[in-house]
Amino acid sequence: MSKRILPETKEKILHMRMAGYPQKIIAQQTGTSLSTVTRLLRERKEEKRCPKCKEALPINARYCFVCGTKILTQREQVAEDLAHIADLYKFLPETARDEFIRAIRAAISMLKEETHE
């Protein structure tokens, strides 16, 4: 059975980690087990975060409630990345364009395979 961690202790653990303390020291300083610290930090990584200020956000957030940054869905992010790639294509020398297109098609194929798994 896992022991419940007080919110103040969670905050202290997270602040210490952001300050660069090793997990072993964090566990000693906060009186928690190393496995608890590891689990808490792993859970924290899996949360949705603002790309600008790194604030933890609800899964369905469309904007960061701290800094106001628009939170893109995965599909919107891919569309934005593809638009950026298309802009870069214009600046490639003719000799590199075929290789560039092959790499893009390979990446798209890989993404399609991951989507269907």
Side-chain angles (χ1 to χ4, degrees):
M1 186 163 83
S2 66
K3 184 178 165 186
R4 186 159 172 83
I5 305 171
L6 294 173
E8 307 86 54
T9 306
K10 281 184 182 181
E11 281 304 309
K12 185 173 182 180
I13 290 169
L14 296 171
H15 285 299
M16 288 180 76
R17 188 60 182 158
M18 286 191 296
Y21 286 90
Q23 291 183 20
K24 187 175 180 181
I25 300 299
I26 295 171
Q28 291 171 350
Q29 294 285 321
T30 58
T32 56
S33 69
L34 182 57
S35 62
T36 300
V37 170
T38 302
R39 179 181 50 81
L40 177 66
L41 295 173
R42 187 176 303 125
E43 287 171 359
R44 185 76 172 190
K45 282 182 185 175
E46 293 170 0
E47 293 176 339
K48 185 175 184 177
R49 297 197 165 279
C50 172
K52 185 175 181 182
C53 72
K54 307 300 183 216
E55 181 68 30
L57 301 170
I59 289 297
N60 60 349
R62 298 293 293 165
Y63 292 89
C64 176
F65 55 87
V66 173
C67 71
T69 299
K70 185 177 190 315
I71 308 301
L72 300 177
T73 64
Q74 188 174 15
R75 194 172 276 254
E76 290 168 333
Q77 184 64 55
V78 168
E80 190 174 279
D81 292 346
L82 287 173
H84 180 67
I85 289 169
D87 287 340
L88 292 176
Y89 179 81
K90 293 183 268 186
F91 299 104
L92 288 174
E94 293 268 339
T95 55
R97 289 183 178 182
D98 287 342
E99 186 177 338
F100 182 81
I101 294 297
R102 277 194 295 278
I104 296 297
R105 286 187 176 139
I108 291 169
S109 178
M110 183 182 70
L111 286 171
K112 284 181 179 177
E113 289 173 12
E114 286 180 4
T115 304
H116 295 297
E117 288 180 353

